[in-house]
Amino acid sequence: MPGPMPDPGPQRVIAASNFVYTVGSGLYLTAGVLYFTEAVHLPASQVGLGLGIAGVVSLAVGIAVGHLADRHGARGVYAITLVVQALATAGFVLADSFWPFVTAVGTAIGAKAAGLAARSPLIRHYGGGRPQEFRACLRAVTNVGISFGALLAGWAVQVGTLPAYQLMVIANAVAFAASAAILIYLPPVKPVPAVGGPRWIALRDRPYLLLTALDGIMAVQFKVLTVAIPLWLVAATTAPRWLISCTMLMNTIIVIALQIRASRSINSPAAGGTAYRRAGVAFLVSCSLISLSAGIPAWAAATLLLAAMVIHTIGELWHSAAGFEVSFALAPQHATGQYLGVFGLGAGLAEALGPALLISLCITWGRPGWYVVGALFTLTGLAAPFAVRWAQRHRRAQQTHPEVAWKVAAA
């Protein structure tokens, strides 16, 4: 475990379940697309289209399932999402054409989005006085698990046969099922009774929706390291290709080592707004360095890219910690799952639209596109403190006059 171990009891159970789950996620993230293109022989265009369809369909699932977790108990709902994801992932071995592929991957991605929302009430209930810090701990655990899964997936990619890929898929499904089984040791959380006002209060909370949109724009940064930098390094620089793996490895190590520490200092919504602003500036600096890596000697390009990666990762730590803080602190206790399901829409849209945006600006357009992307991150970070203050005023109104607060936010 990076940093201090979670407290014995529920926190450690949730962390153990998360670790097992992310080992399976690492298997799929590393070689999932290769399985469908190299082993199942689906055209890459169909795989991309199917993943896009699945991503769009999954956007609304988190809100609905988060609401179910609030009203009917988060542990059971979360465990069901893990079981559904395990069954859908196992169904990959039967997906030998486009529509079975879309059905299986759509169900799996939808269950993943639902699980993230359903888990949120558990994090809030068992996170102690600082559930945001516990969420940061889980992100560090996530990076450790994904690293292990990626190492295991490397064997399947190296062997390259259909049985090897299918074994990887089954191992992924088993990991998800085992993650659900571990939750047996987690005490159930009592459902939170509803309060007055409309059922889908999160969708009427305009300040929170604005924060969701801003976080979603900034979440495009997660695709810079996985999509934009690899393509840029190969197409526009003379840096060695092995640097792609090096940047990913260094990013993972920094997140594992520093995410918890970064989150400790961001202990209020106002601090979260400031962290967003700092992250935006960090991303502008890193994007500028990446743009300068074209057309220079290999050693200089590699130096600039590594420096950009470190600065980008610092921005990533601030961005993640800010998201943990504002998403929990500004969500009412009785609707944590629903609110966090809404907040996940931003990241979902970034997942679906981010690669195309970065490719069109940074790769197709070239060097100027990097400055545009950096400016977009900076402007988003500058807007975040104002959105946080608006959301804080609304949150205080909710606490003082809960029967009318939702009307004010929707007006």
Side-chain angles (χ1 to χ4, degrees):
M1 260 299 300
M5 286 285 289
D7 294 337
Q11 284 196 9
R12 197 165 293 182
V13 172
I14 295 172
S17 174
N18 184 71
F19 174 75
V20 174
Y21 175 87
T22 53
V23 170
S25 296
L27 287 167
Y28 178 74
L29 288 173
T30 304
V33 172
L34 291 176
Y35 166 72
F36 289 112
T37 56
E38 301 295 324
V40 182
H41 302 297
L42 289 176
S45 59
Q46 289 190 4
V47 173
L49 176 61
L51 290 173
I53 293 172
V56 171
V57 170
S58 70
L59 289 178
V61 176
I63 303 173
V65 175
H67 178 71
L68 287 176
D70 290 327
R71 298 288 82 82
H72 301 286
R75 186 190 71 167
V77 174
Y78 179 42
I80 290 172
T81 67
L82 293 174
V83 171
V84 171
Q85 197 171 350
L87 294 174
T89 302
F92 289 176
V93 299
L94 304 176
D96 56 357
S97 60
F98 178 69
W99 286 113
F101 158 69
V102 172
T103 301
V105 78
T107 304
I109 292 178
K112 176 183 177 181
L116 292 174
R119 190 183 65 171
S120 299
L122 296 176
I123 295 173
R124 186 165 210 168
H125 183 81
Y126 291 118
R130 290 283 301 149
Q132 298 89 329
E133 188 173 319
F134 179 45
R135 178 65 185 84
C137 173
L138 292 179
R139 182 165 191 259
V141 172
T142 293
N143 277 268
V144 176
I146 288 176
S147 299
F148 276 102
L151 289 174
L152 296 174
W155 169 82
V157 173
Q158 183 65 33
V159 174
T161 62
L162 177 61
Y165 276 114
Q166 288 179 331
L167 183 61
M168 178 198 72
V169 169
I170 295 302
N172 189 358
V174 169
F176 293 159
S179 177
I182 292 172
L183 295 178
I184 294 174
Y185 298 99
L186 184 69
V189 175
K190 293 182 179 180
V192 181
V195 299
R199 173 178 296 182
W200 303 109
I201 183 174
L203 294 174
R204 295 170 176 260
D205 191 332
R206 289 185 178 181
Y208 199 86
L209 291 176
L210 176 58
L211 279 171
T212 295
L214 293 175
D215 187 82
I217 294 171
M218 194 163 280
V220 173
Q221 61 89 4
F222 288 112
K223 295 301 177 185
V224 170
L225 287 178
T226 59
V227 175
I229 285 183
L231 293 175
W232 177 259
L233 185 149
V234 171
T237 79
T238 57
R241 296 194 175 194
W242 54 260
L243 198 67
I244 297 173
S245 298
C246 183
T247 58
M248 291 297 298
L249 179 61
M250 290 181 65
N251 171 265
T252 301
I253 292 173
I254 293 172
V255 170
I256 291 171
L258 300 179
Q259 185 66 76
I260 299 174
R261 182 177 298 178
S263 297
R264 283 180 182 153
S265 61
I266 302 170
N267 53 11
S268 69
T274 301
Y276 273 124
R277 186 173 61 209
R278 292 174 180 170
V281 174
F283 295 143
L284 174 61
V285 174
S286 66
C287 287
S288 301
L289 292 177
I290 294 168
S291 73
L292 296 175
S293 66
I296 60 176
W299 68 268
T303 301
L304 283 177
L305 288 171
L306 288 174
M309 182 280 305
V310 173
I311 296 171
H312 182 95
T313 304
I314 293 172
E316 180 183 329
L317 294 173
W318 283 331
H319 168 220
S320 298
F324 301 154
E325 177 62 37
V326 302
S327 62
F328 276 96
L330 298 174
Q333 184 82 29
H334 70 277
T336 299
Q338 184 186 148
Y339 267 72
L340 270 294
V342 167
F343 199 77
L345 290 177
L349 287 172
E351 182 79 20
L353 304 178
L357 175 67
L358 292 174
I359 289 172
S360 63
L361 289 176
C362 301
I363 308 304
T364 303
W365 190 6
R367 179 174 285 177
W370 283 105
Y371 295 109
V372 172
V373 170
L376 177 64
F377 290 143
T378 302
L379 292 173
T380 302
L382 291 174
F386 299 97
V388 167
R389 286 196 288 271
W390 183 24
Q392 283 182 294
R393 290 194 297 269
H394 171 58
R395 185 77 181 99
R396 285 192 291 268
Q398 281 184 317
Q399 294 170 335
T400 306
H401 304 290
E403 70 281 0
V404 298
W406 67 270
K407 296 179 182 179
V408 175

